Amino acid sequence: MVDSANSYSDRVSRLVGWGHWFAFFNIIAAMLIGTRYITQSAWPETLLGQFYLAVSWVGHFGFLVFALYLLVLFPLTFLLPAKKLLRLVAICFATIGLTVLLIDTQTYQTINLHLTPVVWELLFSDEQTAISSDLQHLFIVMPLIFLLQLGLSEWVWRKQRKLAHKHVGRPLAAVFFLCFMASHVIYIWADAYFYNPITNQKANFPLSYPMTAKSFMEKHGLLDREDYLQRLKDSEGNVDLVRYPLETIQYNRRSDDLNILVVSVNNLRSDTLNADSMPSSYTYAQNSINFTNHYSSSNDMYGVFGLFYGLPSSYSSSIKAQGSSSVLLDVLDHNGYQFAAFSGDNFDDNLYSEVIFRNKTLSDYESTLDDASAVSAWSSWLETSATNDPWFNFIELTTLDNFSSENQPQGSLLSPSERFKQDYNQAALAADAHLSKIYDELERLELDQNTVVIITSNHGTEFNETQTNSWGANSNYSRYQLQVPMVINWPGKKATEYTHRSSHLDLSVTLLQDLLGVSSNPTDFSSGRNIFDEGKRKWILAGDSRELALVTPKQTTVLDKFGNYKLYDENYKRLKDANPRLPVLMQGLTELQRFYTKTD
């Protein structure tokens, strides 16, 4: 019995020693593969950021591999003390682990995401794409990794005693431990003091969850709460840099020098532009270019951001922080256009002053309290301030933003939903009256023949068509909240009705190309295309600062920056058991990142 116990103890002891060295060399292998994450991430600009990158690279992969060894192989050493069996299990486990790590590096390089169950399911679904094929080809290296692990296993077994005699095991373990601890301590400090060269590296490596300890530091007097809150406020502008446009804008001809008037009737549904609710505008649309299948780029105010910038709303925070003006407004300045803007609520939303018109001085008539005074101020500007130079005007009508039930007779038998619809239609009729004054004023001043007039909205309005108790906007990405009118009266262009799908992201491209003489590729400054392009498009982009919606004729895919998604059918009913098409997902994620700068 004693001999048997000693034999078991000896076998376990030697397998434990072998396991430690086997894990060490796999740590080195994982670190080498992990250099792909470093090459695909922004290089830190500061010495401390670079030092953190080095210690986190060593510490993270050292901890990750050794933790897996302790959780899986170390317990098996006591359960399976047979040399050949345990080594075979370890070889298979290491082969699978390094292969998955290799696939994750490729995924990170392709779509800037690490593997999650959702991403894995999409990448290795039955649908074959170039991306999934490339990833699946990585499995070809599994036999090679297996053979290398087999050779490593045998070599470590034979050299185990010699390695032990070198007395380098503990110093190496100390290095990995110190790097791991140093990386977390440094990140705790960087997180508390908003040191971006370090905090921007948070998601560089897979399964990386750096520690934060603001409450602990505050409790022990290491962090002053007031100073922290002030730094938090000051750091709101520290966002990823955007390169917009991607290339310098090029011109191939002079602009046509037509005036441009953009009117946004906020909260206006596409189907409200009809003969009953908006008779004047309906007639105007019949005599203009009418896009009847047009979508806003957002279900909230940021639809106007897409209209001017041609970018998804997710870029707005970076644009705001950098103070970048829209290419459209820059080109208008380049071509000598006068600028004026008017609003029914005096541009109450900060989006206008902080982002869209940040570098613009609004007209003297900007202090308006309702749509009637906004239209009157615009008319006065045309008569007193407009010169012979072409002009660009923007008018925001807000009648549909805050309509009420004050016109409802007492004792009305209408249900709340019916009253909501009726009140909305009455507000639309009032907005149409303001639009009619705009049309009349252009004709009176003989500007209708040299002015491009654009009538649209920031987003639509839902009357609970999705049966999710959704009334109004900013609650989902159904067509009821996204689909808006797009009417363009363009001198020299024939009145036409277009039924192909178009987007707010297309407007700036169209004006720049067809009116303002820009020859640059639209992909350099926009996520849209020319609105007159009737070619089939794979999806329409919409979204806000947190999510992106890709709208196709049959499905809507809503995804966040982490790759999590929800899928809806054409009636915006949740499809829980379906997967989005991989090309749609990849292209959407690419568009979310295409304009962000990566430091070389």
Side-chain angles (χ1 to χ4, degrees), residues 169-183:
R170 289 184 178 180
L172 289 173
V175 169
F176 287 116
F177 177 77
L178 290 174
C179 286
F180 175 75
M181 293 303 297
S183 65

Side-chain angles (χ1 to χ4, degrees), residues 6-227:
N6 288 337
S7 178
Y8 172 82
S9 176
D10 289 342
R11 292 201 307 271
V12 169
S13 178
R14 189 171 184 191
L15 286 171
V16 167
W18 171 86
H20 281 73
W21 284 108
F22 186 74
F24 166 75
F25 286 107
N26 273 283
I27 288 174
I28 301 302
M31 288 174 57
L32 292 175
I33 295 175
T35 57
R36 299 189 72 189
Y37 298 113
I38 298 175
T39 60
Q40 294 302 317
S41 302
W43 183 253
E45 297 180 354
T46 65
L47 186 61
L48 182 57
Q50 295 165 10
F51 175 75
Y52 172 80
L53 177 61
V55 297
S56 63
W57 171 61
V58 175
H60 179 70
F61 286 104
F63 172 80
L64 187 63
V65 175
F66 195 69
L68 290 173
Y69 164 75
L70 288 178
L71 291 173
V72 179
L73 296 181
F74 185 71
L76 288 178
T77 304
F78 298 91
L79 299 175
L80 302 173
K83 177 185 70 172
K84 292 183 179 180
L85 181 58
L86 180 67
R87 286 169 55 187
L88 179 61
V89 171
I91 290 168
C92 293
F93 184 73
T95 300
I96 294 171
L98 291 181
T99 303
V100 170
L101 181 63
L102 193 61
I103 293 172
D104 187 79
T105 62
Q106 187 68 22
T107 305
Y108 185 78
Q109 178 179 337
T110 305
I111 60 175
N112 204 33
L113 289 174
H114 293 294
L115 285 176
T116 64
V118 170
V119 175
W120 183 277
E121 181 181 0
L122 289 171
L123 293 176
F124 298 102
S125 62
D126 294 334
E127 182 179 3
Q128 290 295 316
T129 66
I131 296 174
S132 62
S133 296
D134 288 342
L135 289 171
Q136 289 169 9
H137 286 159
L138 292 176
F139 283 108
I140 297 175
V141 304
M142 279 191 74
L144 177 60
I145 295 176
F146 180 84
L147 292 175
L148 291 173
Q149 291 290 336
L150 188 64
L152 175 64
S153 170
E154 182 63 25
W155 182 84
V156 171
W157 185 261
R158 292 177 181 273
K159 301 294 183 180
Q160 181 180 350
R161 296 186 186 279
K162 184 178 293 187
L163 291 170
H165 289 157
K166 291 182 180 296
H167 302 292
V168 295
R170 289 184 178 180
L172 289 173
V175 169
F176 287 116
F177 177 77
L178 290 174
C179 286
F180 175 75
M181 293 303 297
S183 65
H184 284 277
V185 170
I186 293 172
Y187 191 89
I188 287 172
W189 171 84
D191 177 66
Y193 289 88
F194 300 96
Y195 190 71
N196 290 326
I198 289 176
T199 57
N200 287 343
Q201 301 180 46
K202 180 179 181 179
N204 278 9
F205 302 128
L207 300 176
S208 176
Y209 305 100
M211 287 191 295
T212 59
K214 291 186 286 289
S215 298
F216 176 85
M217 294 174 69
E218 181 182 350
K219 182 179 179 181
H220 291 80
L222 300 175
L223 180 66
D224 183 271
R225 181 173 179 79
E226 295 302 321
D227 288 345

Side-chain angles (χ1 to χ4, degrees), residues 279-303:
S280 295
S281 296
Y282 177 76
T283 301
Y284 191 79
Q286 298 297 105
N287 298 313
S288 304
I289 306 168
N290 189 10
F291 296 88
T292 59
N293 197 10
H294 185 84
Y295 289 78
S296 173
S297 56
S298 184
N299 60 1
D300 58 17
M301 272 302 299
Y302 280 81

Side-chain angles (χ1 to χ4, degrees), residues 392-410:
F392 175 90
N393 286 176
F394 177 79
I395 303 176
E396 180 191 37
L397 299 182
T398 59
T399 298
L400 281 167
D401 275 342
N402 298 299
F403 56 91
S404 64
S405 301
E406 59 185 26
N407 296 321
Q408 288 290 339
Q410 292 185 353

Side-chain angles (χ1 to χ4, degrees), residues 280 284 375 378-379 382 432-448:
S280 295
Y284 191 79
V375 173
W378 168 73
S379 177
L382 287 180
D432 186 56
H434 299 309
L435 288 169
S436 180
K437 291 181 181 179
I438 293 174
Y439 309 145
D440 294 342
E441 194 67 7
L442 288 170
E443 186 174 355
R444 182 182 72 83
L445 297 174
E446 298 181 349
L447 293 170
D448 52 327

Side-chain angles (χ1 to χ4, degrees), residues 430-494:
D432 186 56
H434 299 309
L435 288 169
S436 180
K437 291 181 181 179
I438 293 174
Y439 309 145
D440 294 342
E441 194 67 7
L442 288 170
E443 186 174 355
R444 182 182 72 83
L445 297 174
E446 298 181 349
L447 293 170
D448 52 327
Q449 296 304 311
N450 66 342
T451 303
V452 177
V453 181
I454 300 160
I455 310 296
T456 188
S457 180
N458 55 355
H459 57 75
T461 297
E462 183 180 347
F463 297 152
N464 197 31
E465 285 92 344
T466 60
Q467 299 299 308
T468 56
N469 198 30
S470 295
W471 298 88
N474 197 22
S475 57
N476 63 52
Y477 298 101
S478 65
R479 66 177 183 271
Y480 311 106
Q481 298 192 29
L482 292 179
Q483 204 164 350
V484 296
M486 175 56 74
V487 176
I488 303 178
N489 190 290
W490 195 312
K493 290 185 183 289
K494 183 180 178 181

